[in-house]
């Protein structure tokens, strides 16, 4: 028996592609996950994957990954005593300064200030 051909969604990813991409981003956020890896999972070229992901989700995959990482970082800062450096490494950043810069841009304060505010 032949299965029906996959419907093309001109407005973005097919539901199975979107679900698979988001699952990959959420489960592998701490890894050095490439656009090429995600595109292979969706059976698209990297260019078409990026464009379709943005149409479906509203932001590009890299921004979505950053959002996931920073949300996880907030959880770690609130619930653990890990150093800022270890939090950065735990969520997939190679340098604490890059993590701190992104965190400050998103939340308006450094990770240290965020932790201090939540623990008072």
């Amino acid at each position: 028996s032949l299965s029906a051909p996959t419907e093309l969604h001109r407005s973005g990813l097919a539901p199975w592609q979107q679900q698979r991409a988001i699952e990959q981003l959420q489960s592998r956020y701490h890894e050095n996950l490439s656009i090429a890896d995600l595109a292979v999972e969706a059976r698209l070229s990297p260019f078409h994957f990026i464009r379709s992901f943005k149409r479906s989700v509203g932001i590009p995959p890299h921004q979505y990954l950053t959002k996931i990482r920073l949300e996880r970082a907030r959880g770690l800062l609130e619930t653990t005593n890990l150093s800022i450096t270890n939090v950065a490494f735990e969520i997939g950043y190679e340098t604490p300064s890059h993590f701190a810069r992104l965190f400050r841009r998103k939340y308006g304060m450094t990770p240290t200030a965020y932790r201090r505010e939540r623990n008072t």
Side-chain angles (χ1 to χ4, degrees), residues 7-79:
E7 181 182 339
L8 293 176
H9 292 263
R10 297 210 183 275
S11 63
L13 298 171
W16 72 267
Q17 291 170 315
Q18 181 177 333
Q19 180 180 355
R20 184 72 180 137
I22 289 173
E23 285 173 356
Q24 288 292 302
L25 288 165
Q26 289 178 343
S27 67
R28 299 175 58 193
Y29 67 91
H30 55 284
E31 299 176 20
N32 190 11
L33 189 60
S34 72
I35 293 297
D37 294 336
L38 294 168
V40 165
E41 291 287 332
R43 299 183 193 148
L44 295 171
S45 72
F47 173 80
H48 284 99
F49 174 76
I50 292 169
R51 187 177 62 183
S52 298
F53 187 93
K54 184 175 180 180
R55 284 184 182 158
S56 293
V57 179
I59 58 176
H62 184 265
Q63 287 181 11
Y64 193 88
L65 177 61
T66 299
K67 179 181 166 191
I68 291 169
R69 285 178 170 177
L70 293 178
E71 288 172 0
R72 309 282 174 161
R74 280 183 28 203
L76 290 172
L77 291 168
E78 292 172 8
T79 61

Side-chain angles (χ1 to χ4, degrees), residues 29 66-91 93 96 98-120:
Y29 67 91
T66 299
K67 179 181 166 191
I68 291 169
R69 285 178 170 177
L70 293 178
E71 288 172 0
R72 309 282 174 161
R74 280 183 28 203
L76 290 172
L77 291 168
E78 292 172 8
T79 61
T80 71
N81 290 323
L82 289 174
S83 69
I84 303 303
T85 299
N86 286 338
V87 169
F89 294 149
E90 185 76 23
I91 62 170
Y93 289 107
H98 186 217
F99 161 61
R101 187 170 47 255
L102 292 171
F103 193 94
R104 184 174 190 159
R105 187 180 305 150
K106 172 79 174 170
Y107 299 113
M109 65 181 73
T110 64
T112 303
Y114 181 86
R115 175 178 271 164
R116 196 174 316 127
E117 183 180 283
R118 294 296 185 255
N119 291 333
T120 57

